[in-house]
Amino acid sequence: MSERSAKRLLRVLESERSALLSGDLARLEEITARKEAILAKGISPAAALAETLGRVGAENHRLLKAAARGIESALSRIAETSAPLRTYDATGSAQGTPSSGRLERRR
């Protein structure tokens, strides 16, 4: 693999970083395909470029892990908020909501 391909990979990694920082997670699938295509050919960059690729790749990995944690947190929060409603009676005992999906209005 040429130095040119290593530079292409660096540009793809920079695009990945931009997508991660902007929250454009939909672009990641296409970016991953581009990275895989470049890496499938093999790379042998100069030492300075190899160091840069490693640094940028490690930073993107950290950002990807943070994005995954954010998604997991959001899914957890959604699950919490969609849990059945619990109410309490006059004695403080927990009461579930009616299974019919209807709420009773008391006057």
Side-chain angles (χ1 to χ4, degrees), residues 65-81:
K65 285 175 59 175
R69 283 192 309 271
I71 290 169
E72 289 171 4
S73 177
L75 291 173
S76 175
R77 183 67 181 131
I78 289 169
E80 288 173 11
T81 58

Side-chain angles (χ1 to χ4, degrees), residues 39-60:
L39 292 171
K41 297 175 184 175
I43 291 182
S44 58
L49 186 53
E51 183 180 324
T52 301
L53 285 170
R55 181 180 45 76
V56 172
E59 174 66 11
N60 285 3

Side-chain angles (χ1 to χ4, degrees), residues 55-104:
R55 181 180 45 76
V56 172
E59 174 66 11
N60 285 3
H61 180 72
R62 186 186 68 75
L63 291 171
L64 282 165
K65 285 175 59 175
R69 283 192 309 271
I71 290 169
E72 289 171 4
S73 177
L75 291 173
S76 175
R77 183 67 181 131
I78 289 169
E80 288 173 11
T81 58
S82 61
L85 176 66
R86 304 242 352 136
T87 59
Y88 298 87
D89 64 14
T91 66
S93 298
Q95 303 293 311
T97 55
S99 60
S100 68
R102 294 178 37 189
L103 296 176
E104 179 180 327

